Amino acid sequence: MRYRKIKKIFLLLGLMIPIILCDANEAFLSDEHSHIQIKEAHVQGVPKGSTIQASINGHTFTADFSVNIGQVVLEITTSVGASVESLSVLTPNSLQINISNTGNYVVTFTLSNGDVYYGEFTVTN
């Protein structure tokens, strides 16, 4: 009786260990590409924040606009408000910006209709 319980425990462990190891291996092998959550700051009409994808990989900030939402002003500031980059881009489009210093940053997307979206991220290495 006791042998069967021990056997079941070992069988369950035998099934769980490969899954745990695969997840751990994936975490170690993944690139440092971190998704930046885009939030609404001021939106008058239909929210379009889901059409903006942003990420940070090392010192490279990437923004991808999956649909045409018109002209977008993108501004990156430090967490205390010092301007790092400001530019205007037509969508749909993608862009990359190199951020030379480590620290905490805020990216703000202002659409031509006045809607504002933002995301916070950290450059660590």
Side-chain angles (χ1 to χ4, degrees), residues 3-46:
Y3 172 75
R4 287 185 183 168
K5 287 183 180 181
I6 292 173
K7 184 178 176 182
K8 285 182 183 179
I9 291 172
F10 277 110
L11 285 174
L12 286 173
L13 284 174
L15 292 172
M16 291 174 47
I17 289 174
I19 294 169
I20 293 168
L21 290 177
C22 286
D23 285 343
N25 189 35
E26 186 176 317
F28 285 116
L29 293 177
S30 69
D31 59 5
E32 302 276 329
H33 208 78
S34 296
H35 175 75
I36 300 168
Q37 183 180 4
I38 303 302
K39 304 170 190 168
E40 299 173 3
H42 173 73
V43 178
Q44 298 175 34
V46 177

Side-chain angles (χ1 to χ4, degrees), residues 3 6 11 14 18 25 27 30 51 53 75 78 93 101 104 116 121:
Y3 172 75
I6 292 173
L11 285 174
N25 189 35
S30 69
T51 66
Q53 302 297 317
E75 183 175 18
T78 64
N93 205 349
N101 295 322
N104 296 314
V116 180
F121 63 96

Side-chain angles (χ1 to χ4, degrees), residues 63-93:
D64 181 46
F65 304 94
S66 58
V67 298
N68 185 353
I69 53 175
Q71 186 99 11
V72 176
V73 174
L74 179 145
E75 183 175 18
I76 297 176
T77 60
T78 64
S79 59
V80 293
S83 183
V84 174
E85 184 75 46
S86 182
L87 55 96
S88 181
V89 61
L90 287 173
T91 62
N93 205 349

